[in-house]
Amino acid sequence: MSCYVHVPFCAARCGYCDFNTYTPAQLPGMSTGDYARAARREIDLAARALAGDGRALTSVFLGGGTPTMATDDELAGLLEHLHRSFALVPGAEITIEANPETLDERRLANLRAAGFNRLSLGMQSGDERVLATLERRHRPGRAVQAARWAHRAGFDNVSLDLIYGAPGETLDQWRVSLETALGAEPEHVSAYGLIVEPGTAMARRIARGELPEPDEDLEADEYLLAEELLGSAGLSNYEISNWARPGREAVHNLAYWRGGDWWGIGPGAHSHLGSARWWNVKHPRRYATMLAAGASPRAGHEILDARTRHEETVMLRLRLREGLDVAELSGPERSPLPGLVERGLVTTAGGEVRLTPAGRLLGDAVTLEILG
């Protein structure tokens, strides 16, 4: 079982972001300390609900938002509260997400001493113009510097997050981003194609003609370049958007992709246990108020039927290098496989359906074709 803790604070909102995050100006009078107290109450609620369950946590992930907007003591306190409330397996992966501008050598040493053993850095790009388009606040080299500090502080598992397909980005700029990231010698790299979400500042800028529409053909070339350069540097693709050195695949994210169980702490966080899925209220104030009153912050829930669980298994397992057992597919679902193999989109060697690099570019379409 895994635990995700959502920290909803950001210093500023990036133009492409549609996550459940808030700047201090949007939450006047609510501090990160107030939020941490509310999160500890939900941890207590989860511990009571799972009492006698007997399962230990294999991973913890503090994400956001920018968890490092909270103080070192607040973050250490949250992790300590989880330790007191749940058993953790020996060597459990404990990740903290951070923006590079919130870190220095002292902070990283404090976070490592608190028990965090994996760092996920929001680098996004190594090109100053692309960072400006994304409305990121850090300098191009800051993420690399932070990764090196993290290694010196004792983190032996550092991940860099990159975004490709930014409006106006060239293939050469993307190459620079990849090469810059590899210069930090990360154990893990995530590379996500930009999705322009409706309602974001970036969507409005594109609609006004201030930014060009993303180029899908260029994005495909950028993805294949990532596969080439990251693979040559010893990072192997194990999920469509993720590459890692051997043994450094993200335990926490693999739990999601393999259909595992997790409890999500925080406003807007989602949880999954067995066939049940639920999600919390989104606004931090309402979240904190409900917990202070002794109520669950749950906003809604659903029970997944067998068909939905099967479809999600197919969709998620196809994203993974390990693929999907052909035996899990029905007869009609297997019928498209020969054509997909012929088109070079999947392989079925060893009885596992696996996406090829070309197939990863069309992963959603392949899934839909199989599911009919």
Side-chain angles (χ1 to χ4, degrees), residues 94-266:
I94 304 175
T95 303
I96 185 162
E97 207 170 42
N99 284 339
E101 69 272 18
T102 65
L103 297 176
D104 56 30
E105 290 182 275
R106 177 191 60 80
R107 290 212 74 187
L108 286 161
N110 290 344
L111 293 170
R112 185 67 190 92
F116 295 97
N117 54 30
R118 184 174 184 271
L119 178 68
S120 179
L121 283 167
M123 176 178 171
Q124 317 313 357
S125 177
D127 183 272
E128 189 168 4
R129 287 168 294 177
V130 175
L131 287 172
T133 298
L134 295 172
E135 298 183 53
R136 299 289 292 182
R137 303 178 76 186
H138 61 84
R139 302 188 313 274
R142 179 70 178 193
V144 171
Q145 184 180 44
R148 289 173 177 157
W149 285 339
H151 282 139
R152 287 204 292 268
F155 284 91
D156 61 0
N157 197 352
V158 175
S159 178
L160 295 175
D161 283 2
L162 299 173
I163 290 177
Y164 61 91
E169 181 178 56
T170 67
L171 192 61
D172 284 341
Q173 286 173 316
W174 175 236
R175 182 185 294 274
V176 167
S177 292
L178 290 165
E179 291 174 345
T180 301
L182 289 171
E185 299 183 346
E187 284 72 30
H188 188 283
V189 170
S190 298
Y192 301 104
L194 178 69
I195 297 174
V196 180
E197 299 288 357
T200 60
M202 177 172 282
R204 291 190 291 272
R205 292 180 69 192
I206 291 173
R208 291 193 299 263
E210 297 172 14
L211 293 173
E213 292 274 359
D215 183 330
E216 291 184 2
D217 291 336
L218 177 58
E219 285 188 33
D221 290 340
E222 289 179 306
Y223 181 86
L224 295 174
L225 181 61
E227 170 70 0
E228 176 190 342
L229 295 185
L230 296 174
S232 296
L235 287 91
S236 177
N237 181 269
Y238 70 98
E239 190 275 342
I240 286 180
S241 300
N242 289 272
W243 289 258
R245 301 193 188 281
R248 293 305 188 191
E249 297 84 359
V251 172
H252 189 85
N253 289 339
L254 280 169
Y256 296 152
W257 297 318
R258 289 172 175 164
D261 290 336
W262 72 88
W263 193 298
I265 303 291

Side-chain angles (χ1 to χ4, degrees), residues 293-311:
S296 165
R298 186 179 300 186
H301 75 281
E302 61 180 337
I303 302 299
L304 306 178
D305 60 27
R307 180 61 190 173
T308 300
R309 295 190 69 178
H310 171 72
E311 289 175 351

Side-chain angles (χ1 to χ4, degrees), residues 323-331 333-334 337 347-354:
L324 173 74
D325 191 335
V326 173
E328 293 195 44
L329 299 175
S330 67
E333 290 170 343
R334 294 179 202 175
L337 294 181
T347 64
T348 54
E352 302 288 337
V353 186
R354 295 185 178 91

Side-chain angles (χ1 to χ4, degrees), residues 304-321:
L304 306 178
D305 60 27
R307 180 61 190 173
T308 300
R309 295 190 69 178
H310 171 72
E311 289 175 351
E312 291 191 355
T313 296
V314 172
M315 176 186 68
L316 294 172
R317 292 300 292 267
L318 279 176
R319 295 186 65 88
L320 295 174
R321 174 177 59 202

